[in-house]
Amino acid sequence: MFNLAGKIAFISGGTKGIGKGIAKVLKQAGAITIIAGTDSVKGESVAKELGVDFISLDVTDQAECKSVIDKIVKKYGRLDILCSNAGIFPQHYLKDMTVEDWDLVHTVNLKGTFFLVQAALNVMEKQRYGRVVITSSITGEITGLSGYSHYGASKAGQLGFMRSAALEYAGQGITINAVMPGMIMTEGLQSFGDDFLDHAKNITPMRELGTPEDIGYAACFLASDEAKYITGQTIVVDGGQVLPEVQEI
Ligand code: NAP
């Protein structure tokens, strides 16, 4: 386990699923951890369960992203680690997809990443220290999934954003990287239904779905001081899902 003692870590979408797993691991590694989501009741109760702080944030609101980062700096003195993780994945087949469907997914997943990462970088630049870890996906950059063309575009878009941002801040003590999860058992993924989840398990070489903590450990590494020479990169955490050339029977 990498040591994050004394670091201030903020996780968007930290109230459920992968974000909650990241929060658990960063807290275990010693970070003073703050989670965010739009549902304050759920957020406060998860924060209590994990022994972390909660702050309400809708990442689609740029002013709110800036003010939340300002509040964190005011309360904790600095912001060392941002895990930009909040995301949605509603299913819409392309033939019926509306511009509203498209825009919602891009607004939360991609614009929300831009708003929050930009606000955090403005603080990290002054500190000349920062670790940004974006939760992207294998979907979009490596794989496709029927009903998720808008989602795949938003997740691949996060990686394009991440690479150029990493370059702009290289040499300033700031790194910007991404984790690319495969199928991770979360509240969000549960909505796909048991048949889909069983199938996903069977076609994954490790024959199991990932846990939110599996993503947390990758994020913890990228958030550590030891990962200082890594920027603009990705770690796939998928139980081998993207490997097979031909699916074995
Ligand atoms: P989840 O269980 O549905 O949790 C989503 C989290 O995002 C919740 O904490 C939710 O909090 C928050 N959120 C949603 N909209 C938000 C908004 N507008 N502003 C702020 N917070 C918001 O989802 P998950 O499966 O953990 O997925 C988390 C991330 O991992 C997403 O970016 C997703 O694309 C990515 N991912 C997931 C998988 C997977 O298999 N699960 C695979 C690849 C990538 P509230 O409900 O309080 O808003």
Side-chain angles (χ1 to χ4, degrees):
M1 177 73 91
F2 290 90
N3 184 4
L4 302 182
K7 303 280 189 206
I8 310 297
F10 178 51
I11 300 132
S12 72
T15 60
K16 281 188 211 157
I18 289 177
K20 186 176 169 187
I22 296 174
K24 247 190 220 172
V25 173
L26 297 199
K27 155 100 177 147
Q28 250 176 47
I32 295 157
T33 304
I34 308 128
I35 58 171
T38 61
D39 178 345
S40 296
V41 176
K42 167 97 181 157
E44 293 287 3
S45 108
V46 171
K48 206 166 165 195
E49 175 196 330
L50 300 184
V52 302
D53 286 347
F54 169 76
I55 194 159
S56 168
L57 170 66
D58 182 342
V59 294
T60 66
D61 183 332
Q62 187 173 27
E64 209 175 297
C65 286
K66 283 184 185 158
S67 87
V68 159
I69 297 294
D70 287 349
K71 275 186 205 156
I72 290 172
V73 174
K74 204 164 168 205
K75 182 164 177 193
Y76 303 91
R78 50 188 293 118
L79 174 64
D80 299 298
I81 298 162
L82 168 69
C83 295
S84 178
N85 165 82
I88 56 169
F89 34 90
Q91 186 182 53
H92 296 109
Y93 289 99
L94 194 48
K95 87 181 163 60
D96 299 317
M97 191 182 291
T98 65
V99 72
E100 288 79 17
D101 299 333
W102 174 272
D103 281 348
L104 180 64
V105 166
H106 278 76
T107 304
V108 177
N109 295 358
L110 193 48
K111 219 195 237 186
T113 299
F114 155 53
F115 287 161
L116 192 59
V117 171
Q118 186 191 49
L121 286 171
N122 286 339
V123 168
M124 291 172 174
E125 190 178 23
K126 291 188 198 109
Q127 301 171 167
R128 293 194 70 80
Y129 184 89
R131 297 279 182 271
V132 175
V133 183
I134 295 171
T135 307
S136 175
S137 177
I138 57 169
T139 311
E141 173 90 346
I142 306 179
T143 62
L145 191 58
S146 293
Y148 293 89
S149 57
H150 49 358
Y151 175 77
S154 75
K155 291 282 136 181
Q158 285 181 311
L159 297 179
F161 166 82
M162 179 270 290
R163 292 186 179 109
S164 294
L167 208 46
E168 287 185 33
Y169 288 84
Q172 299 186 53
I174 297 168
T175 67
I176 310 173
N177 293 289
V179 282
M180 297 170 71
M183 295 289 172
I184 309 299
M185 197 53 218
T186 66
E187 286 92 326
L189 197 76
Q190 238 153 11
S191 67
F192 283 54
D194 288 345
D195 288 351
F196 178 93
L197 297 178
D198 283 346
H199 180 64
K201 220 185 272 181
N202 290 335
I203 56 136
T204 300
M206 289 191 188
R207 300 285 186 264
E208 58 184 326
L209 301 178
T211 67
E213 290 78 6
D214 289 328
I215 306 304
Y217 291 117
C220 184
F221 166 58
L222 292 171
S224 69
D225 282 344
E226 287 81 358
K228 69 178 174 22
Y229 204 53
I230 301 172
T231 197
Q233 301 304 314
T234 57
I235 300 181
V236 173
V237 184
D238 73 340
Q241 198 188 329
V242 301
L243 288 179
E245 227 164 46
V246 176
Q247 202 58 55
E248 288 156 31
I249 301 163

